[in-house]
Amino acid sequence: MKMKNKKSFTYVAQAGVIAALYVALTYVSAALNLAYGPVQVRLSEMLTILPVFTPAAVPGLLIGCILGNLQSPLGVVDILCGSLATFIAALLSRSFRQYRIKGLPILSATPPVIINAFIIGLELYILLPAYAGISGFVYGVISVGIGQVISCYIFGLLLFAAIERSGVKKALHFES
């Protein structure tokens, strides 16, 4: 197999596995009543750290989020807005991959927190009467942000450390 074809295959395979993991973890989170709504501690959001390791994570997260949001009670709006937020955050996370604080890509974990807090907070404000008024918008941003902090900073950085220390990075042919 030519080197270019091998790299293309690896890229597509990584994106597909990341998408599948995102969907599966979103559905597990949904079963635990954590995937949709104001406080979203989606287990799948820990995968938003993966753009640090591979560019294939960007389309993988996008596709995974689209498929994961198919069962969202907010319907097509959440499929579009949530996926757009994930895509923008993944691109930014990838662009910050070389910056580390005490060896951790804290800056790369930040875009999913901020972007999802504001976009999903705005989505809740617009679509749900319980979030009416400026206080409803602020509540939405804060509650989504808290869930994202747990998913991205705690679980995501633990995942990063596990990948770095276990040798999985090399085995999966991740290229930072």
Side-chain angles (χ1 to χ4, degrees), residues 71-166:
Q71 77 180 113
S72 170
L74 298 178
V76 71
V77 174
D78 200 26
I79 292 167
L80 295 173
C81 293
S83 302
L84 177 64
T86 295
F87 181 64
I88 293 167
L91 288 172
L92 289 171
S93 293
R94 178 82 183 146
S95 71
F96 297 143
R97 70 187 178 278
Q98 68 273 18
Y99 302 107
R100 308 285 167 100
I101 299 172
K102 295 191 178 188
L104 294 173
I106 305 288
L107 198 53
S108 288
T110 302
V113 173
I114 294 172
I115 291 170
N116 277 290
F118 280 95
I119 290 179
I120 306 307
L122 181 62
E123 184 181 333
L124 295 171
Y125 167 74
I126 291 169
L127 296 177
L128 300 176
Y131 293 87
I134 191 68
S135 62
F137 172 68
V138 171
Y139 173 73
V141 169
I142 291 171
S143 62
V144 171
I146 289 169
Q148 286 295 111
V149 163
I150 294 167
S151 297
C152 299
Y153 286 132
I154 297 173
F155 297 141
L157 292 174
L158 284 172
L159 177 61
F160 170 84
I163 290 170
E164 282 283 304
R165 292 190 177 114
S166 69

